[in-house]
Amino acid sequence: MKLQSLLDADVPNEGQVETQVDQVLAARGKLEREYTLMNLDLRKVLALDQWRQLKSIRGQSGGFGGKIFFRKVLPPAQGL
């Protein structure tokens, strides 16, 4: 969002844009690293047939580059 607002400025500040691009790329790199390590952790605990089944499910889902996203399910709020 910050990068987009910098690009949308009437007169974009090239230095600020470059700095923000570097931050975005660094964040993407960290995310990819964590995703890869998560896959490694999964691979270590799954049997080979389970790993292949997971890969198959990921391939069928599409839309997210074959990646599975986990989300925390919160219990329903009380009294609402």
Side-chain angles (χ1 to χ4, degrees):
M1 297 285 294
K2 186 174 182 180
L3 177 58
Q4 189 61 54
S5 66
L6 290 171
L7 291 171
D8 289 341
D10 291 341
V11 180
N13 180 310
E14 191 170 337
Q16 289 179 340
V17 170
E18 288 181 18
T19 298
Q20 191 61 38
V21 167
D22 290 341
Q23 290 177 3
V24 168
L25 291 174
R28 285 182 183 168
K30 288 178 184 178
L31 182 61
E32 186 64 29
R33 180 181 191 282
E34 289 300 317
Y35 174 76
T36 302
L37 293 176
M38 180 188 73
N39 274 309
L40 178 59
D41 288 342
L42 282 171
R43 181 63 191 97
K44 289 190 286 188
V45 298
L46 295 177
L48 182 57
D49 60 327
Q50 292 174 314
W51 177 249
R52 288 180 176 160
Q53 183 180 10
L54 179 60
K55 285 177 58 175
S56 173
I57 292 168
R58 287 178 172 176
Q60 294 170 5
S61 66
F64 295 104
K67 296 178 179 169
I68 293 178
F69 293 89
F70 297 93
R71 67 181 177 99
K72 184 175 183 179
V73 177
L74 300 175
Q78 299 294 322
L80 292 179

